[in-house]
């Protein structure tokens, strides 16, 4: 079944998308800028760099080959230095995300919104596409609750 046919039966994803477009208009944000810039780039990098900090904390730096593979670096320093670098990178990504959210009227909508995109080239599998048409791919998930909590802490620190 193609998404157009599915939307006629159960228009949940269509309704989410339309609601997101309306909210973007209220906040003077382009819908595809929100999807492409914020959701797929800024939120993704935020989640990835935050996860890297936790990975480095549990990483055994005595296993040089494994550490190199996990960090995706040819040369690496000691655990403390790599942790400092990861935290510094995370703080940059955090500032990017939170500054973007500060410009909106309803930041928690944009954090917790379960946006979807049509599968136009995203996670494309030709045998699925031929048989079912475009598939919808979710771009937000459980990590967004963590981001909402982090944003709440950030806002409360600003008001103190």
């Amino acid at each position: 079944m193609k998404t157009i046919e599915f939307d006629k039966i159960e228009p949940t994803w269509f309704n989410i998308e339309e609601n997101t477009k309306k909210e973007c208009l209220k906040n003077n944000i382009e819908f595809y800028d929100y999807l492409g810039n914020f959701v797929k780039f800024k939120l993704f990098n935020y989640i990835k760099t935050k996860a890297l900090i936790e990975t480095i904390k549990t990483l055994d730096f005595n296993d040089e080959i494994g550490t190199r593979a996990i960090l995706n670096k040819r040369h690496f320093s000691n655990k403390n230095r790599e942790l400092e670098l990861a935290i510094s990178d995370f703080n940059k990504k955090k500032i990017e995300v939170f500054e973007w959210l500060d410009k909106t009227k309803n930041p928690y909508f944009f954090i917790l919104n379960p946006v979807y995109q049509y599968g136009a080239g995203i996670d494309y599998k030709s045998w699925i596409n031929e048989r079912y048409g475009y598939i919808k791919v979710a771009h937000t998930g459980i990590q967004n609750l963590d981001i909402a909590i982090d944003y709440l802490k950030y806002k409360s620190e600003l008001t103190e």
Side-chain angles (χ1 to χ4, degrees), residues 9 12 15 25 41 53 61 66 73 103 114 125 130 148 154:
I9 299 168
T12 304
N15 292 339
L25 277 174
F41 180 70
I53 293 169
F61 274 69
K73 289 183 170 182
K103 295 175 185 175
K125 295 181 178 86
E130 289 171 10
Y154 161 78

Side-chain angles (χ1 to χ4, degrees), residues 2-136:
K2 296 185 180 192
T3 54
I4 295 170
E5 295 165 348
F6 185 77
D7 280 340
K8 289 177 185 174
I9 299 168
E10 177 58 52
T12 304
W13 288 332
F14 177 78
N15 292 339
I16 289 170
E17 198 170 281
E18 289 302 308
N19 190 30
T20 304
K21 287 178 182 177
K22 287 176 188 172
E23 196 65 31
C24 285
L25 277 174
K26 289 180 196 173
N27 287 276
N28 200 23
I29 297 169
E30 295 238 3
F31 175 69
Y32 292 104
D33 180 50
Y34 165 63
L35 282 181
N37 184 27
F38 183 71
V39 174
K40 289 180 67 180
F41 180 70
K42 291 183 183 197
L43 280 185
F44 175 77
N45 287 335
Y46 180 94
I47 292 165
K48 187 175 76 171
T49 54
K50 188 173 184 178
L52 181 62
I53 293 169
E54 296 304 315
T55 302
I56 290 173
K57 286 179 183 177
T58 61
L59 198 57
D60 177 20
F61 274 69
N62 293 326
D63 178 14
E64 197 170 313
I65 294 172
T67 303
R68 204 166 56 185
I70 290 170
L71 294 179
N72 197 22
K73 289 183 170 182
R74 182 171 175 85
H75 302 288
F76 59 89
S77 190
N78 61 20
K79 188 173 196 165
N80 290 333
R81 179 64 183 146
E82 291 298 326
L83 194 57
E84 286 175 17
L85 291 171
I87 290 170
S88 172
D89 192 33
F90 171 70
N91 287 333
K92 290 175 189 173
K93 303 301 182 201
K94 184 165 94 170
I95 288 169
E96 285 179 12
V97 168
F98 292 167
E99 282 180 350
W100 191 95
L101 289 168
D102 283 341
K103 295 175 185 175
T104 64
K105 297 173 188 167
N106 188 1
Y108 294 102
F109 173 84
F110 292 104
I111 296 171
L112 300 173
N113 182 27
V115 292
Y116 293 85
Q117 267 193 349
Y118 294 97
I122 302 165
D123 292 343
Y124 176 81
K125 295 181 178 86
S126 62
W127 63 271
I128 289 176
N129 196 29
E130 289 171 10
R131 191 167 177 192
Y132 298 110
Y134 286 124
I135 55 173
K136 297 229 181 183

